[in-house]
Amino acid sequence: MATEVKHLHVTYNDIHNLIRYSTPKIATEFNPDLLVAIGGGGFFPARVMRTFLREITEHKALQIQAIGLSLYEPVEGTSANVVGHEVIRTQWLGPDSGKLLLGKRNLIVDEVDDTRKTLHYALSELQKDVEAELLTRPESEHAALREATKFGIFVVHNKNKGKLADLPADTPYFAGATVEDVWLDYPWEAMDIEAHDGHAAADKTL
Ligand code: 5GP
């Protein structure tokens, strides 16, 4: 039987505010021009971040692209989930992925960095798409296009734990909050949002 892990419930407002306080730094230090949300947990954070980026940069609303990746399989009889062995693509950017990313400052957005496997996979696969797109361009343009293409990462929560994958040291990385190695219960997974918010309030008193 799997051991029960400690849970921490987070509310929509908690997430909204973590994004609110993180976005000025992201706008200054990375200034994305495309958001790549990892679904499903990255969808709501990316949409909220767009609101704050628009306000801060006074630019038009950024495009949000979506990819779907899965690592965790629910295990019957447990309230938490267990780690799967590999990252599975459930949705990607389409045949023009590299074209879409090339020359842009692409911010990958997810809700949580746990083992880091998902972020590592997303980043390395998106970079491969960029490299494939470069092969269709004259070699004389490669250096400038590579230089113009950047990837950054934003997660609402980073778990302070040993990671199973590394990200390149020069990849800008932003986390709304760093938490212990607990299981985070997100509001979009709740059936009863009032009960969820009640648990979140109780968690805050611990
Ligand atoms: P990683 O690849 O970093 O281990 O895991 C990333 C994915 O695992 C997240 O996008 C999320 O779907 C899932 N995950 C990891 N930890 C948690 C957690 O504490 N709560 C929830 N709800 N999902 C998690």
Side-chain angles (χ1 to χ4, degrees):
M1 207 177 92
T3 8
E4 272 308 310
V5 292
K6 192 177 157 196
H7 283 243
L8 182 67
H9 296 76
V10 285
T11 68
Y12 281 113
N13 285 11
D14 293 333
I15 295 164
H16 203 97
N17 284 323
L18 286 173
I19 296 168
R20 177 181 180 185
Y21 299 130
S22 306
T23 309
K25 187 174 161 69
I26 293 170
T28 309
E29 295 179 14
F30 189 69
N31 192 21
D33 41 30
L34 179 74
L35 301 179
V36 180
I38 303 180
F43 293 164
F44 176 81
R47 177 59 188 88
V48 174
M49 176 160 286
R50 181 167 86 175
T51 295
F52 291 112
L53 281 171
R54 190 175 187 183
E55 174 69 21
I56 294 165
T57 62
E58 293 176 7
H59 290 152
K60 64 181 173 58
L62 292 190
Q63 198 186 113
I64 302 175
Q65 289 287 337
I67 58 176
L69 298 174
S70 179
L71 178 64
Y72 289 79
E73 295 299 328
V75 172
E76 225 175 292
T78 63
S79 55
N81 290 342
V82 293
V83 181
H85 292 295
E86 53 174 338
V87 180
I88 300 156
R89 277 189 195 200
T90 55
Q91 184 185 336
W92 204 249
L93 297 180
D96 283 338
S97 172
K99 199 179 211 159
L100 188 76
L101 303 163
L102 193 68
K104 295 205 184 77
R105 307 177 64 80
N106 307 291
L107 187 70
I108 299 169
V109 179
D110 207 355
E111 88 279 43
V112 57
D113 174 2
D114 184 13
T115 65
R116 202 159 276 176
K117 276 184 157 191
T118 303
L119 290 172
H120 171 83
Y121 180 91
L123 179 63
S124 54
E125 293 296 301
L126 292 170
Q127 278 170 333
K128 278 186 207 165
D129 290 352
V130 168
E131 288 303 314
E133 176 63 21
L134 275 175
L135 295 177
T136 71
R137 308 293 176 110
E139 211 170 327
S140 56
E141 295 176 7
H142 287 194
L145 283 169
R146 240 190 224 111
E147 179 55 31
T149 311
K150 304 278 186 216
F151 287 95
I153 289 170
F154 170 71
V155 288
V156 179
H157 295 104
N158 175 30
K159 293 191 200 175
N160 190 7
K161 64 191 278 185
K163 304 292 183 180
L164 298 178
D166 290 324
L167 297 169
D170 60 352
T171 302
Y173 178 98
F174 307 93
T178 300
V179 295
E180 292 170 65
D181 189 10
V182 293
W183 187 260
L184 296 152
D185 285 291
Y186 287 100
W188 45 80
E189 297 162 342
M191 291 297 145
D192 180 339
I193 195 66
E194 281 78 23
H196 174 91
D197 286 357
H199 290 309
D203 288 347
K204 289 191 177 80
T205 64
L206 295 177

